[in-house]
């Protein structure tokens, strides 16, 4: 029996978006606004899709390769970019995302420049890579393509929750609150931020890789700036003071447009208004401690 | 290399339009330290205001351009009151304004009977107006303290999503074009160089507006107030400058420039679609960073530079290379010289 029925698509996207929201949460929780997540997601998705379509390799291989490639890219990129503060980091990472998009759009031309005219079509430009459709088999009542996502999200939640209580989690919080003060306390700020940046990139790339059997059409338009903005919206709506926030935000903002299907083209109006209202009136997001522990409402003030 | 003069001309007028866009960006960043990511949506709406006035009301282009600039300016003021002002000074008026906005948006996006939607929309607009007036009169703040550093940028992203989505619903996601007879199309030819009248118009209007803005900032009372606020809004308030009113005027100026850029480029390329702001937004970010965040003159010079680079990379390299080169330049400048080519030296690294 299919437990999810026609909702399995929505469930899959909620899970993908939770993973992406957790990736941006990590950087936000260390005081960095990085919008490179869509670019890293594209890296992961294209890695897995190319390994599947060109070499017929299973998703596990694509997933591992995506994590490794993201780390390889994020390490030098983060090394130069994380020294930038605030909006400058945001703008530079927007630039990175666009370069990735333009890169995959023109990927075949680049390959032919290097390897000669005989190189087969790999990236397929704006049309993207189309993976063959196979009706997913049900495992325990849930489509088999969704199980890896469930496992991935659970692993991420475990990672992020453990991180929060660890020494490194406190280092992240210290950097977020005051970078200079953290540096004076002997924290290696640049190193900590670099670790977080690379970790965030790997999480996004992993989500991209695991999303390929579900989206099946991997084309550059899926990874434009507005995608990065959506990811940011999940984290902002949910709040970045705890890891529950991004999960809540991703779930609400992914399910909401499905519920608002009757609005058609203008569903995004609601998304935009929700982002604005939450930043104006709920600066700590939906997962605000004061909202979760409602009996102490009004008194709990940090 | 015989196409060099033609490419120079193309780079010149495209650079001028980009300058028009980026100067408004720089104005807001310079005076408020806000990266207004709704500026691209403002530009897009400027183009569509002009388009709707030309096609629905059958008005000549020059008239549509002026009206579109004013409308885009007012839209920018509204964005400030909705997205930015509540962060620096939330009043009861902000909440009333938001309530009206939500009612108005609901009337626009929920499929309803035309008369019902119209009635709800009018009520929403009336509440918004009341909210705006209340907001400008009240001095009692509901919240004090500075907002988180990135909050304004994220709020402007939300505003941008709303505006783009509204355009998708109202005008449609397809590409719109001005009718052929709206502006003369026969190009002037100088030897092997061809210049369309619309391109001349872009260049002339852009130069006039940028010079006008420079004069306004350097020589008028409003300009002095804007510069005072960019130095310190706290001190300005102590000196008796009506800070929120001046910020509103700054947003109006910035919006009119974005609207002019949108209407002019919409005409010159004759290609309008709801996502047209996103592309120019990214080029505009490169320009203001290259020019030194907040420096109006720097933004204008950098815009011509970026315009030339874009045109030449299409002509001599590859159309796909155009944006990649611009963004590589963006990252390069951020790393090597974060204060920009003309910056004051202090901006950049936190």
């Amino acid at each position: 029996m299919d437990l999810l029925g026609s909702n399995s698509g929505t469930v899959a996207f909620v899970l993908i978006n939770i993973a992406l929201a957790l990736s941006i949460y990590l950087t936000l929780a260390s005081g960095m606004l990085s919008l490179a997540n869509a670019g890293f997601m594209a890296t992961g998705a294209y890695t897995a899709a190319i390994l599947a379509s060109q070499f017929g390799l299973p998703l596990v291989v694509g997933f591992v390769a995506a994590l490794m490639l993201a780390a390889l890219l994020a390490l030098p990129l983060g090394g130069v970019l994380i020294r930038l503060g605030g909006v400058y980091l945001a703008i530079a990472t927007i630039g990175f995302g666009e370069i990735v998009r333009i890169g995959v759009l023109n990927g075949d031309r680049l390959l032919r420049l290097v390897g000669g005219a005989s190189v087969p079509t790999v990236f397929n430009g704006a049309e993207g890579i189309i993976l063959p459709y196979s009706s997913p088999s049900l495992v325990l009542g849930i489509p088999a393509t969704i199980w890896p996502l469930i496992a991935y999200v659970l692993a991420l939640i475990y990672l992020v929750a453990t991180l929060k209580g660890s020494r490194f989690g406190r280092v992240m919080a210290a950097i977020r609150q005051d970078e200079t003060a953290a540096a004076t306390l002997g924290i290696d700020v640049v190193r900590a931020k670099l670790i977080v940046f690379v970790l965030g990139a790997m999480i996004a790339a992993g989500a991209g890789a695991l999303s390929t059997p579900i989206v099946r059409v991997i084309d550059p338009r899926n990874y434009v700036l507005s995608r990065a903005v959506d990811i940011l919206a999940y984290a902002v709506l949910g709040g970045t003071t705890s890891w529950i926030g991004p999960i809540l935000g991703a779930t609400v903002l992914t399910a909401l447009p499905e519920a608002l299907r009757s609005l058609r083209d203008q569903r995004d109006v609601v998304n935009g208004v929700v982002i604005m209202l939450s930043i104006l009136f709920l600066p700590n997001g939906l997962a605000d401690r004061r909202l979760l522990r409602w009996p102490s409402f009004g008194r709990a003030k940090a | 290399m015989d196409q060099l003069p033609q490419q120079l001309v193309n780079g010149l007028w495209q650079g001028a339009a980009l300058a028009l866009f980026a100067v408004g960006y720089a104005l807001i960043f310079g005076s408020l330290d806000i990266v207004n990511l709704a500026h691209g949506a403002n530009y897009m709406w400027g183009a569509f205001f002009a388009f709707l006035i030309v096609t629905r009301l059958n008005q000549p282009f020059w008239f549509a351009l002026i009206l579109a600039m004013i409308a885009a300016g007012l839209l920018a003021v509204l964005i400030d009151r909705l997205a930015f002002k509540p962060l620096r000074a939330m009043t009861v008026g902000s909440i009333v304004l938001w309530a009206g906005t939500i009612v108005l948006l609901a009337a626009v996006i929920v499929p309803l009977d035309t008369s019902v939607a119209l009635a709800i929309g009018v009520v929403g607009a009336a509440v918004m107006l009341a909210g705006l007036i209340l907001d400008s009169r009240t001095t009692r703040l509901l919240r004090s303290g500075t907002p988180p550093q990135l909050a304004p940028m994220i709020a402007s992203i939300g505003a941008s999503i709303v505006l783009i989505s509204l355009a998708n619903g109202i005008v449609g996601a397809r590409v719109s074009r001005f009718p052929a007879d709206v502006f003369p199309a026969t190009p002037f030819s100088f030897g092997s160089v061809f210049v369309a009248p619309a391109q001349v118009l872009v260049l002339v209007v852009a130069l006039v507006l940028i010079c006008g803005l420079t004069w306004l900032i350097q020589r008028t009372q409003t300009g002095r107030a804007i510069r005072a606020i960019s130095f310190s809004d706290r001190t300005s308030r102590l000196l008796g400058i009506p800070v929120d009113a001046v910020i509103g005027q700054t947003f109006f100026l910035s919006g009119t420039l974005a609207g002019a850029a949108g209407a002019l480029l919409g005409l010159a390329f004759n290609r309008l679609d709801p996502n047209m702001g996103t592309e120019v937004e990214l080029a505009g970010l490169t320009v203001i960073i290259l020019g030194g965040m907040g420096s109006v003159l720097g933004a204008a010079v950098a815009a011509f530079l970026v315009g030339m680079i874009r045109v030449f990379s299409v002509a001599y390299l590859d159309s796909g290379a155009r944006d990649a080169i611009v963004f590589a330049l963006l990252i390069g400048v951020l790393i090597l010289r974060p204060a920009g080519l003309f910056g004051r030296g202090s901006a950049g690294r936190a």
Side-chain angles (χ1 to χ4, degrees), chain A residues 33 84-88 90-92 94 98-99 102 109 229 236 263 265-266 268-269 272-273 275-277 279-281, chain B residues 82-83 87 90 98 105 109 143 150 153 155 157 159 161-162 165 169 282 289 293 318 320 323-324 327 334 347-348 350:
Chain A
L33 174 55
L84 299 168
V87 294
Y88 296 90
I91 292 169
I94 288 175
E98 285 298 300
I99 291 174
I102 296 162
R109 253 186 287 181
V229 169
V236 168
L263 300 180
D265 289 345
Q266 290 167 309
D268 280 348
V269 172
V273 169
I275 295 176
M276 292 171 79
L277 288 177
I279 201 85
L280 295 181
F281 298 105
Chain B
L82 282 170
L87 285 172
M90 187 183 294
W98 259 107
L105 285 176
I109 64 171
R143 183 165 65 194
L150 297 166
M153 188 171 176
I157 289 175
I161 295 175
V162 172
S165 180
L282 296 169
I289 286 188
M293 297 290 262
D318 185 288
D323 293 318
F327 295 125
L334 277 174

Side-chain angles (χ1 to χ4, degrees), chain B residues 111-162:
Chain B
L112 290 171
D113 248 17
T114 319
S115 55
V116 178
L118 200 64
I120 298 177
V122 169
V123 171
V127 175
M128 281 173 74
L129 200 62
L132 279 174
I133 295 169
L134 199 60
D135 190 26
S136 62
R137 300 265 163 109
T138 37
T139 47
R140 194 170 157 271
L141 304 184
L142 298 180
R143 183 165 65 194
S144 55
T146 48
Q149 194 198 2
L150 297 166
M153 188 171 176
I154 296 169
S156 74
I157 289 175
S160 170
I161 295 175
V162 172

Side-chain angles (χ1 to χ4, degrees), chain B residues 3-12 193 308 311-312 314-316:
Chain B
Q3 51 166 330
L4 183 66
Q6 178 74 59
Q7 297 306 339
L8 277 174
V9 169
N10 290 349
L12 205 60
V193 180
M308 288 287 175
V311 165
F312 276 86
V314 173
Y316 295 108

Side-chain angles (χ1 to χ4, degrees), chain B residues 201-252:
Chain B
L201 182 77
V202 172
L203 187 61
V204 171
V205 175
L207 289 179
V208 168
L209 287 178
I210 291 170
C211 291
L213 179 78
T214 315
W215 172 80
L216 194 140
I217 289 180
Q218 295 299 330
R219 292 272 179 268
T220 65
Q221 198 64 38
T222 314
R224 271 187 280 273
I226 291 174
R227 280 184 289 145
I229 290 172
S230 78
F231 185 71
S232 161
D233 58 339
R234 196 177 146 79
T235 312
S236 308
R237 217 180 280 273
L238 290 172
L239 290 171
I241 296 171
V243 171
D244 284 314
V246 174
I247 288 176
Q249 288 160 2
T250 315
F251 268 94
F252 182 78

Side-chain angles (χ1 to χ4, degrees), chain A residues 152-172:
Chain A
Y152 188 52
V153 167
L154 287 179
L156 289 181
I157 291 174
Y158 176 75
L159 172 81
V160 173
T162 329
L163 208 56
K164 177 97 183 167
S166 71
R167 186 177 176 277
F168 193 72
R170 286 193 287 275
V171 165
M172 283 165 61

Side-chain angles (χ1 to χ4, degrees), chain A residues 9 31 58 67 85 103 131 171 180 191 195 197 215 230 232 239 247 272 279 300:
Chain A
L67 291 186
L131 297 177
V171 165
T180 321
R191 182 172 152 270
I195 293 173
F197 186 83
V215 293
D230 287 344
L232 174 66
I247 296 173
I279 201 85

Side-chain angles (χ1 to χ4, degrees), chain B:
Chain B
M1 276 291 158
D2 56 344
Q3 51 166 330
L4 183 66
Q6 178 74 59
Q7 297 306 339
L8 277 174
V9 169
N10 290 349
L12 205 60
W13 72 263
Q14 289 185 26
L18 194 55
L20 206 48
F21 178 82
V23 161
Y25 231 150
L27 193 60
I28 297 299
F29 190 85
S31 51
L32 294 167
D33 271 356
I34 288 176
V35 180
N36 177 16
L37 287 180
H39 199 59
N42 222 314
Y43 159 94
M44 177 266 296
W45 267 107
F48 277 113
F49 283 138
F51 174 76
L52 293 174
I53 292 165
V54 166
T55 54
R56 302 273 167 90
L57 306 176
N58 290 316
Q59 297 296 323
F61 183 78
W62 63 268
F63 185 64
L65 175 65
I66 293 172
L67 282 190
M69 283 171 62
I70 296 172
L74 294 176
L75 181 63
V77 176
L78 188 62
I79 293 172
D80 171 48
R81 290 305 186 245
L82 282 170
F84 301 124
K85 176 145 191 298
L87 285 172
R88 45 173 206 273
M90 187 183 294
T91 66
V92 180
S94 316
I95 293 170
V96 176
L97 176 62
W98 259 107
T101 308
I102 290 171
V103 172
L104 181 65
L105 285 176
V108 175
I109 64 171
V110 178
L112 290 171
D113 248 17
T114 319
S115 55
V116 178
L118 200 64
I120 298 177
V122 169
V123 171
V127 175
M128 281 173 74
L129 200 62
L132 279 174
I133 295 169
L134 199 60
D135 190 26
S136 62
R137 300 265 163 109
T138 37
T139 47
R140 194 170 157 271
L141 304 184
L142 298 180
R143 183 165 65 194
S144 55
T146 48
Q149 194 198 2
L150 297 166
M153 188 171 176
I154 296 169
S156 74
I157 289 175
S160 170
I161 295 175
V162 172
L163 289 172
I164 292 174
S165 180
L166 280 179
N168 265 322
I170 292 170
V171 199
R174 64 184 192 286
V175 173
S176 310
R177 292 183 202 282
F178 281 103
D181 58 346
V182 70
F183 206 76
T186 327
F188 309 114
S189 66
F190 305 94
S192 64
V193 180
F194 291 92
V195 189
Q199 299 170 352
V200 178
L201 182 77
V202 172
L203 187 61
V204 171
V205 175
L207 289 179
V208 168
L209 287 178
I210 291 170
C211 291
L213 179 78
T214 315
W215 172 80
L216 194 140
I217 289 180
Q218 295 299 330
R219 292 272 179 268
T220 65
Q221 198 64 38
T222 314
R224 271 187 280 273
I226 291 174
R227 280 184 289 145
I229 290 172
S230 78
F231 185 71
S232 161
D233 58 339
R234 196 177 146 79
T235 312
S236 308
R237 217 180 280 273
L238 290 172
L239 290 171
I241 296 171
V243 171
D244 284 314
V246 174
I247 288 176
Q249 288 160 2
T250 315
F251 268 94
F252 182 78
L253 285 174
S254 153
T256 52
L257 295 175
L264 289 169
L265 268 191
L267 178 73
F269 288 121
N270 208 358
R271 198 191 144 76
L272 292 86
D273 73 278
N275 287 315
M276 65 190 280
T278 315
E279 190 197 333
V280 76
E281 178 116 41
L282 296 169
L285 279 178
T286 312
V287 166
I288 54 171
I289 286 188
L290 200 59
M293 297 290 262
S295 155
V296 169
L297 180 70
V301 175
F304 280 99
L305 197 64
V306 171
M308 288 287 175
I309 291 174
R310 279 159 65 95
V311 165
F312 276 86
S313 52
V314 173
Y316 295 108
L317 291 170
D318 185 288
S319 61
R322 182 184 77 179
D323 293 318
I325 290 178
V326 171
F327 295 125
L329 184 72
L330 167 73
I331 295 180
V333 170
L334 277 174
I335 294 166
L336 298 175
R337 197 171 155 71
L341 299 180
F342 309 93
R344 288 159 292 186
S346 61
R349 300 181 186 208

